[in-house]
Amino acid sequence: MDTIAPIPDAFFNPLYEKLKMYYVTGGMPEPVLMWTEARDVSAMQEAMSGILDAYERDFAKHPNIHEFPKISMIWKSIPSQLARENKKFIYKVVKKGARAREYEDALQWLVDARLVHKIYRSTAPGLPVSAYDDLSAFKIYLADVGLLRRLAQLAPSAFGEGSRLFTEFKGALTENFVLQTLITQFEAAPRYWSQNNPPYEVDFLIHRENDIFPVEVKSQANTTSKSLKKFKELFPEQVKLRIRFSLANLKLDDDVLNIPLFMADQAERLIGLALEQRQT
């Protein structure tokens, strides 16, 4: 595609089904092989469990043996962290009474091992993006959406239950999937933005060339977004384009680009096309 235009239903609907399949399998080679070649759900599940078990065995290789249980507890808390309405990482979800200074080294081990992605809250869409990081507020996502599904013990049967898979787990799978694709497309890691009073949150901020784009992730076709609107009101000069990922079709509506979830890995290119289209 070289223009921003709706995807015909003949392509849209099959790609939507493939996306649901990817939420189930993730992108790890062995589970994908079990699914695409053997169509064996139990073998796919077993392969995923094997990967998770191997990761947990790796935790024990930490130089400080006392960090092992902390790493394991953080790892197992990730589905609970993402299931919350406010997905900001809370140490007390890991263990009652837990404090940052006790667990931050364990968390950093997971980040350094590239098993999780740590996304900081940004205070404003400025450059360089790191200058606006609130280091006390961040979200944690898994490296693979399929492993997140398995770690959360969400059964593959959700795949055959219409759109339930996209609403189960409060959109956590969808956010994790989109974050995975953004990480690979942009040099700077995405951030997110929020304010408390009144409460607004933009799921991600992406840095492309010298521009910052606010991103909203919707797990359904519903595309209303008060937070994207508020962000534009607060930072009108910095926002050339607002991005929304949803189950709605590809469309450029004034300064809002809606990208179907199954095209998330094309975001960088589609943003470029949308910016060109708005200039003509």
Side-chain angles (χ1 to χ4, degrees):
M1 295 187 63
D2 55 8
T3 58
I4 303 297
I7 311 298
D9 287 349
F11 298 104
F12 188 99
N13 295 330
L15 286 168
Y16 168 59
E17 292 303 315
K18 294 289 187 183
L19 176 67
K20 290 195 287 185
M21 186 183 298
Y22 186 79
Y23 277 32
V24 171
T25 65
M28 291 292 175
E30 188 180 1
V32 169
L33 185 68
M34 295 298 100
W35 181 255
T36 55
E37 290 197 358
R39 294 286 175 178
D40 189 331
V41 175
S42 60
M44 178 194 68
Q45 288 282 84
E46 189 174 332
M48 285 187 159
S49 296
I51 293 170
L52 293 174
D53 289 345
Y55 284 163
E56 293 207 34
R57 287 195 297 272
D58 281 346
F59 300 163
K61 297 176 184 177
H62 191 284
N64 183 349
I65 193 64
H66 299 295
E67 293 296 305
F68 165 64
K70 296 177 184 177
I71 296 170
S72 184
M73 282 190 285
I74 290 173
W75 175 255
K76 290 175 180 176
S77 82
I78 292 175
S80 299
Q81 300 276 0
L82 290 174
R84 297 165 52 251
E85 194 65 35
N86 176 4
K87 295 179 175 62
K88 174 185 171 184
F89 186 87
I90 303 293
Y91 284 98
K92 290 180 182 178
V93 174
V94 177
K95 183 181 178 182
K96 187 176 180 180
R99 297 179 181 181
R101 66 173 180 268
E102 298 173 302
Y103 285 81
E104 58 189 1
D105 287 348
L107 176 56
Q108 191 59 44
W109 189 92
L110 287 168
V111 173
D112 292 344
R114 299 189 179 183
L115 297 180
V116 303
H117 299 299
K118 187 178 186 180
I119 306 302
Y120 285 108
R121 176 182 175 271
S122 179
T123 57
L127 296 175
V129 288
S130 58
Y132 296 87
D133 286 346
D134 174 0
L135 300 181
S136 67
F138 54 88
K139 301 179 187 177
I140 294 294
Y141 294 92
L142 238 61
D144 180 79
V145 68
L147 294 181
L148 175 62
R149 178 198 64 78
R150 188 73 185 108
L151 194 62
Q153 299 182 327
L154 181 62
S157 59
F159 166 71
E161 298 174 11
S163 64
R164 179 188 162 197
L165 185 60
F166 292 95
T167 54
E168 193 83 39
F169 203 12
K170 296 185 179 179
L173 290 172
T174 304
E175 274 194 38
N176 206 102
F177 165 72
V178 169
L179 188 274
Q180 276 179 248
T181 69
L182 297 179
I183 284 280
T184 63
Q185 293 177 75
F186 300 96
E187 186 175 4
R191 271 66 172 173
Y192 76 100
W193 172 86
S194 67
Q195 70 170 41
N196 292 329
N197 200 8
Y200 290 100
E201 181 168 314
V202 169
D203 295 317
F204 301 114
L205 298 180
I206 51 179
H207 176 202
R208 180 185 183 272
E209 297 181 1
N210 286 323
D211 296 312
I212 306 292
F213 299 95
V215 173
E216 183 89 335
V217 178
K218 297 287 189 180
S219 58
Q220 297 177 290
N222 173 23
T223 58
T224 57
S225 175
K226 294 180 180 178
S227 293
L228 274 187
K229 182 179 179 182
K230 184 66 175 179
F231 192 84
K232 178 66 180 287
E233 290 174 0
L234 292 172
F235 309 105
E237 298 301 317
Q238 293 97 322
V239 181
K240 288 184 179 179
L241 193 68
R242 292 175 287 172
I243 316 298
R244 181 194 300 119
F245 293 97
S246 74
L247 292 182
N249 213 322
L250 182 63
K251 181 182 181 182
L252 180 60
D253 185 5
D254 190 21
D255 71 333
V256 178
L257 173 63
N258 189 87
I259 301 176
L261 286 165
F262 55 73
M263 295 185 76
D265 61 349
Q266 300 290 311
E268 198 278 337
R269 188 172 66 87
L270 293 172
I271 290 170
L273 291 174
L275 291 172
E276 289 177 11
Q277 197 163 312
R278 293 200 74 219
Q279 291 172 357
T280 58

